[in-house]
Amino acid sequence: MRAELFLITPPFTQLNTPYPATAYIKGFLNTKNIASTQADLGIEVILELFSKNGLEKLFSQIDETSSLSPNAQRIFALKQEYLATIDAVISFLQGKNQTLALQICSEDFLPEASRFAQLADPIANGLDWAFGTMGTQDKAKHLATLYLEDISDFIVESIDSNFGFSRYAERLGRSANSFNELYEALNQQSTYIDTILFEVLEKRITEVQPKLLLISVPFPGNLYSAFRCAQYVKKQYPEIKIAMGGGFANTELRSLSDKRVFKFFDFITLDDGELPIELLYQSINNAGNFNLYKRTFLLENGKVTYKNDSIRSDYKQADVGTPDYTDLPLDKYISVIEIVNPMHRMWSDGRWNKLTMAHGCYWGKCTFCDISLDYIKVYEPVAAKLIVDRIEDLSKKTGQNGFHFVDEAAPPALMREVALEILRRKLVVTWWTNIRFEKSFTQDLCLLLKESGCIAVSGGLEVASDRLLKLIDKGVTVEQVAKVTRNFTEAGIMVHAYLMYGYPTQTIQETVDSLEMVRQLFETGVLQSGFWHQFAMTAHSPVGMYPEKFGVVKETELIGSFANNDLNYVDKTGIDHSKFSFGLKKSLFNFMHGICFDYKLQDWFDFKIPRTTIPANFISNALREEENVITKPTAKLIWLGGKPIVETFTKSKKGNSWQQTTLTFHRKKESFRIVTNQQEGEWLVSTLAKITVLNAKVYSFQEIKADFETNLEHFELFWYAKPITTLRNFGLLVL
């Protein structure tokens, strides 16, 4: 397993699937024939900790005379029950011991502490609503998750207050303007979790014996453990060079100047990692010689220096290779159901291969977003055929056909081409992604996406107010969002909305009206999932760069020596938006359960709010508006159905007779038939064969019209008549 480069993701990110950064870099290194190995230390540490042996060591750390809360005392008293069940539960959550679900659901198998108290309130927990008659597997996953969270609470109280399943010491990484607090923590005695991390890391370093250790830090919750990993390797293996990259560095460390950071890391790279890492690899192999770097911080003559002297351009997306998940224990990840939220459940349940359809964002205008940074600003789509090549490659190598496209916003036209390519190749794929709620997502496009395996989309509604959406430069209206979510929902694709409150200049009235819009979207059934978050101002967004345009004042202009992204500010409205948090989230939780739509908005808050100014039927009226039914000449025609059974018969009336054709179509769930005259029927059969989704060539409406009119007349009358209308309802798409 020896390799010159060792790529790691430090604890903790996700339990159910690997974060893709190291797989992307390994895929690129493969194209350069550079040997590399990767590891997800997060899942490895979790599996060490949450095992019979791990819990025995954990409980042995506790002095029985320690002052523990009643909840922690209960868990400690039940330690034998936890030791007896932990390995079986982990195996079940890894999908290896599914029959255990029957015992878990009996509710006398798992030891229970405070996390299980929520089960006493069926509305607050939503267990019956969420799982109902679906069977035992999902319910068992949720109960097993509560069991793990009880153990996590015990660890936080008695062992390590920084512990968390998907983050660790996040407070030290979030808005760490100064390195002082993190540096002080790193100079304290190692925690119990640290010691497990060091044991895992030592084993892997010994196996790999790398020249260069690459640590990807996607989130603030990975930062502390990333530094701990670097600290350990520097002490034990000083000859190994260490580099940091990833989402945290890209957004937070762009003005780094604290040289103490380089006691831990030799290099910190920004933005796309492929070329910077290739140059680092070359520099290490050319030790002592002059080297060029790309977007790289290093210590030079005792001073932090930013090197960007290579004139080479970054690699095109077509040339970065297919992500490679080799070395990662794909069969050992844990599927959990932490909270009963449809989209959040997808984040934590099941294993997803991660891919992107395009680098950057094709819209790139939202004023709250880091649109000045390359990961948003530099937009470069990948060819649909190459994307589906990568889908096939990953499916074969991982044995998994679930894909999460992690785009900032997947482009509708490219989604269409990817869907067509999936269908042409007759692949069985399950996929979901992030989108903008734009009008390009017509009813027919949503049906095509569903046919190709799309099961869910998430998108930013943000503030459900047209004035604020315009200020955000979102490029959509609430009415448009309603229609698009309706199109996805009717196609059978789940829709999740990101919701925002506290945007600059937002009034209390607009917050209340935004909640009413969200209530109506759920009540009409066009939205199934959502999440509210409070606006945060970042240094690289238009709001952060030009606050005066948005009615806010930065509290300080000082630039820290370490992390700089989140900014403190004062909104000139003087409104304390945080007081809305509980009411917004509580109401949303109930709306997702399909209940409490008749509550007055005031009932969700313990302080006085104004009445909404939004008519109670605003969304339903918007959905009733007629859409333009005229087909554009450039529209593409696709037939999703199969070949019909054709029967010709003679029809007579008043002494006249003529030939007619019946076309019978069989679908998965039903059959239907249409009747035309013989000539039109023959033309239709041949045309459906031409425009089938299995064909590589895609025909436009104008081409089909011209073909019809070579031998027949009055195409428009035929196109808008009952036979075509029926086909439109059963798989004839206009895109």
Side-chain angles (χ1 to χ4, degrees):
M1 198 185 288
R2 291 189 62 177
E4 292 186 289
L5 275 67
F6 185 30
L7 298 74
I8 66 171
T9 304
F12 294 106
T13 307
Q14 285 180 270
L15 298 179
N16 64 307
T17 198
Y19 193 77
T22 60
Y24 274 70
I25 294 300
K26 182 174 176 63
F28 164 73
L29 294 172
N30 291 344
T31 70
K32 298 296 176 182
N33 295 317
I34 298 174
S36 65
T37 298
Q38 63 184 324
D40 179 354
L41 299 189
I43 192 63
E44 293 191 28
V45 169
I46 287 292
L47 294 177
E48 286 287 335
L49 180 58
F50 288 85
S51 64
K52 183 177 181 181
N53 183 54
L55 290 189
E56 283 177 337
K57 292 179 180 178
L58 176 72
F59 287 125
S60 71
Q61 303 293 309
I62 307 300
D63 184 344
E64 295 197 33
T65 63
S66 300
S67 176
L68 298 173
S69 69
N71 186 59
Q73 288 177 13
R74 173 174 172 76
I75 293 172
F76 188 72
L78 289 169
K79 63 182 180 181
Q80 293 304 323
E81 298 293 333
Y82 284 101
L83 292 174
T85 53
I86 186 64
D87 285 344
V89 169
I90 292 296
S91 180
F92 167 70
L93 292 175
Q94 290 173 329
K96 301 174 183 176
N97 187 19
Q98 298 302 284
T99 56
L100 190 71
L102 297 166
Q103 286 206 70
I104 293 174
C105 289
S106 70
E107 298 188 29
D108 61 358
F109 175 73
L110 297 178
E112 299 181 4
S114 63
R115 293 283 182 158
F116 285 79
Q118 61 187 268
L119 298 179
D121 183 353
I123 294 299
N125 174 62
L127 204 62
D128 292 334
W129 164 78
F131 307 117
T133 59
M134 286 172 59
T136 57
Q137 294 297 318
D138 282 357
K139 183 178 178 181
K141 278 186 183 180
H142 184 58
L143 295 172
T145 302
L146 298 178
Y147 161 91
L148 293 183
E149 288 177 335
D150 274 335
I151 301 174
S152 173
D153 291 343
F154 181 80
I155 294 171
V156 169
E157 178 181 334
S158 60
I159 300 293
D160 189 341
S161 61
N162 285 319
F163 180 75
F165 282 120
S166 59
R167 56 193 177 275
Y168 185 53
E170 186 175 35
R171 176 186 57 81
L172 294 173
R174 188 173 295 283
S175 300
N177 200 252
S178 166
F179 188 52
N180 291 342
E181 189 176 3
L182 178 56
Y183 187 68
E184 183 178 335
L186 292 167
N187 282 295
Q188 300 297 317
Q189 184 175 353
S190 301
T191 68
Y192 178 69
I193 304 299
D194 290 338
T195 61
I196 299 176
L197 172 61
F198 295 156
E199 289 172 6
V200 171
L201 183 58
E202 171 62 32
K203 180 181 177 182
R204 300 308 299 271
I205 290 288
T206 302
E207 291 172 349
V208 179
Q209 299 182 37
K211 290 182 179 179
L212 175 61
L213 174 64
L214 301 169
I215 305 180
S216 177
V217 184
F219 306 115
N222 302 93
L223 187 67
Y224 169 82
S225 52
F227 270 88
R228 275 300 197 194
C229 288
Q231 184 181 44
Y232 178 84
V233 173
K234 277 291 177 197
K235 181 178 180 181
Q236 302 296 328
Y237 302 93
E239 72 280 5
I240 297 176
K241 298 296 182 182
I242 309 173
M244 179 207 295
F248 182 86
N250 297 344
T251 56
E252 305 275 350
L253 301 183
R254 305 189 78 87
S255 55
L256 177 66
S257 62
D258 195 320
K259 63 183 183 181
R260 292 176 296 177
V261 171
F262 293 90
K263 292 182 178 180
F264 305 84
F265 293 93
D266 299 286
F267 311 101
I268 293 178
T269 68
L270 303 181
D271 302 326
D272 292 355
E274 289 84 3
L275 182 56
I277 288 170
E278 182 183 11
L279 294 174
L280 287 184
Y281 171 75
Q282 292 174 2
S283 73
I284 290 169
N285 285 333
N286 295 330
N289 298 326
F290 175 76
N291 294 295
L292 297 176
Y293 297 92
K294 193 80 172 178
R295 297 187 302 273
T296 300
F297 285 104
L298 47 82
L299 202 62
E300 193 171 70
N301 299 321
K303 183 180 179 181
V304 178
T305 305
Y306 181 65
K307 294 279 193 176
N308 193 24
D309 40 21
S310 173
I311 61 172
R312 289 177 59 186
S313 299
D314 282 296
Y315 285 93
K316 296 292 184 183
Q317 292 302 298
D319 300 324
V320 296
T322 300
D324 184 350
Y325 288 89
T326 305
D327 312 319
L328 298 176
L330 299 183
D331 60 335
K332 294 184 179 179
Y333 282 86
I334 303 169
S335 284
V336 296
I337 300 179
E338 299 174 50
I339 55 177
V340 188
N341 174 304
M343 182 57 76
H344 290 174
R345 181 254 174 90
M346 289 180 64
W347 275 97
S348 58
D349 184 21
R351 211 202 69 70
W352 302 96
N353 294 315
K354 309 277 189 174
L355 280 176
T356 50
M357 293 193 190
H359 181 286
C361 179
Y362 70 94
W363 180 249
K365 297 179 183 179
C366 297
T367 54
F368 62 82
C369 188
D370 295 335
I371 61 175
S372 65
L373 299 183
D374 282 358
Y375 82 95
I376 298 288
K377 181 174 64 176
V378 179
Y379 173 65
E380 183 193 345
V382 182
K385 288 186 177 181
L386 180 55
I387 292 170
V388 182
D389 285 345
R390 290 173 177 174
I391 286 174
E392 288 200 271
D393 190 21
L394 280 173
S395 294
K396 290 174 183 175
K397 289 179 177 176
T398 66
Q400 302 284 342
N401 68 348
F403 289 84
H404 176 199
F405 289 96
V406 293
D407 294 64
E408 299 300 319
L414 184 53
M415 290 173 71
R416 178 190 69 197
E417 295 306 311
V418 168
L420 289 171
E421 191 65 22
I422 288 171
L423 292 168
R424 286 185 193 116
R425 301 190 194 187
K426 299 181 180 180
L427 303 180
V428 177
V429 177
T430 303
W431 62 276
W432 55 292
T433 190
N434 193 49
I435 63 161
R436 289 181 63 250
F437 293 120
E438 61 167 83
K439 61 184 179 183
S440 300
F441 289 108
T442 62
Q443 186 177 46
D444 282 11
L445 177 55
C446 292
L447 288 168
L448 176 71
L449 299 177
K450 173 65 175 178
E451 189 77 8
S452 73
C454 179
I455 59 167
V457 293
S458 57
L461 172 54
E462 319 305 355
V463 182
S465 155
D466 285 341
R467 181 190 77 84
L468 291 168
L469 285 171
K470 188 174 181 180
L471 186 62
I472 290 173
D473 204 0
K474 193 71 185 176
V476 300
T477 64
V478 177
E479 184 176 325
Q480 180 179 312
V481 170
K483 291 177 179 178
V484 170
T485 55
R486 184 263 318 273
N487 292 342
F488 277 111
T489 298
E490 290 184 349
I493 296 172
M494 187 185 78
V495 185
H496 172 89
Y498 298 110
L499 304 165
M500 183 190 296
Y501 63 99
Y503 191 80
T505 74
Q506 183 172 358
T507 64
I508 291 175
Q509 184 67 62
E510 285 172 323
T511 300
V512 172
D513 289 349
S514 185
L515 174 57
E516 172 60 16
M517 291 287 203
V518 171
R519 185 194 71 79
Q520 291 186 32
L521 287 167
F522 276 96
E523 186 177 32
T524 55
V526 299
L527 196 59
Q528 296 78 51
S529 178
F531 186 78
W532 287 102
H533 66 276
Q534 188 169 353
F535 168 78
M537 189 166 79
T538 60
H540 310 293
S541 68
V543 179
M545 293 187 291
Y546 315 107
E548 64 283 351
K549 293 183 179 180
F550 298 89
V552 295
V553 178
K554 290 182 186 178
E555 285 192 340
T556 175
E557 289 289 345
L558 293 177
I559 297 177
S561 60
F562 186 54
N564 289 289
N565 193 34
D566 287 1
L567 300 174
N568 294 325
Y569 67 95
V570 176
D571 190 330
K572 291 180 181 179
T573 63
I575 298 170
D576 177 12
H577 294 286
S578 63
K579 67 181 181 180
F580 288 93
S581 176
F582 181 78
L584 291 173
K585 293 175 181 178
K586 183 179 180 181
S587 61
L588 181 63
F589 191 83
N590 284 275
F591 296 160
M592 284 192 292
H593 285 62
I595 59 176
C596 300
F597 294 123
D598 57 343
Y599 279 35
K600 294 178 181 178
L601 299 187
Q602 178 64 69
D603 295 343
W604 301 113
F605 302 94
D606 57 7
F607 55 90
K608 188 70 175 175
I609 63 168
R611 291 176 179 272
T612 182
T613 64
I614 305 299
N617 56 359
F618 179 89
I619 296 297
S620 58
N621 282 346
L623 295 175
R624 275 197 294 268
E625 287 186 10
E626 291 292 329
E627 297 289 335
N628 184 5
V629 296
I630 302 299
T631 305
K632 295 180 180 179
T634 56
K636 309 298 183 184
L637 302 188
I638 297 291
W639 171 237
L640 295 178
K643 186 178 180 180
I645 298 171
V646 182
E647 296 175 280
T648 302
F649 64 96
T650 302
K651 187 168 184 179
S652 300
K653 188 175 183 181
K654 294 181 179 180
N656 296 317
S657 62
W658 62 94
Q659 296 293 104
Q660 286 201 300
T661 299
T662 299
L663 307 182
T664 303
F665 297 84
H666 294 284
R667 290 164 50 85
K668 293 175 186 175
K669 289 188 175 182
E670 74 277 286
S671 301
F672 70 97
R673 64 181 56 187
I674 61 173
V675 179
T676 70
N677 67 50
Q678 185 176 11
Q679 277 189 297
E680 289 175 349
E682 290 173 351
W683 177 87
L684 189 56
V685 170
S686 65
T687 298
L688 291 177
K690 286 168 61 176
I691 65 173
T692 175
V693 70
L694 300 177
N695 288 344
K697 179 172 173 53
V698 178
Y699 291 85
S700 70
F701 178 78
Q702 184 61 46
E703 288 174 309
I704 296 302
K705 178 177 183 290
D707 182 65
F708 181 93
E709 292 176 344
T710 56
N711 295 303
L712 300 167
E713 296 180 337
H714 310 303
F715 178 75
E716 279 75 12
L717 290 177
F718 174 71
W719 180 255
Y720 294 107
K722 185 177 179 180
I724 297 298
T725 301
T726 302
L727 288 175
R728 291 293 309 275
N729 292 328
F730 289 103
L732 177 57
L733 306 183
V734 179
L735 303 170

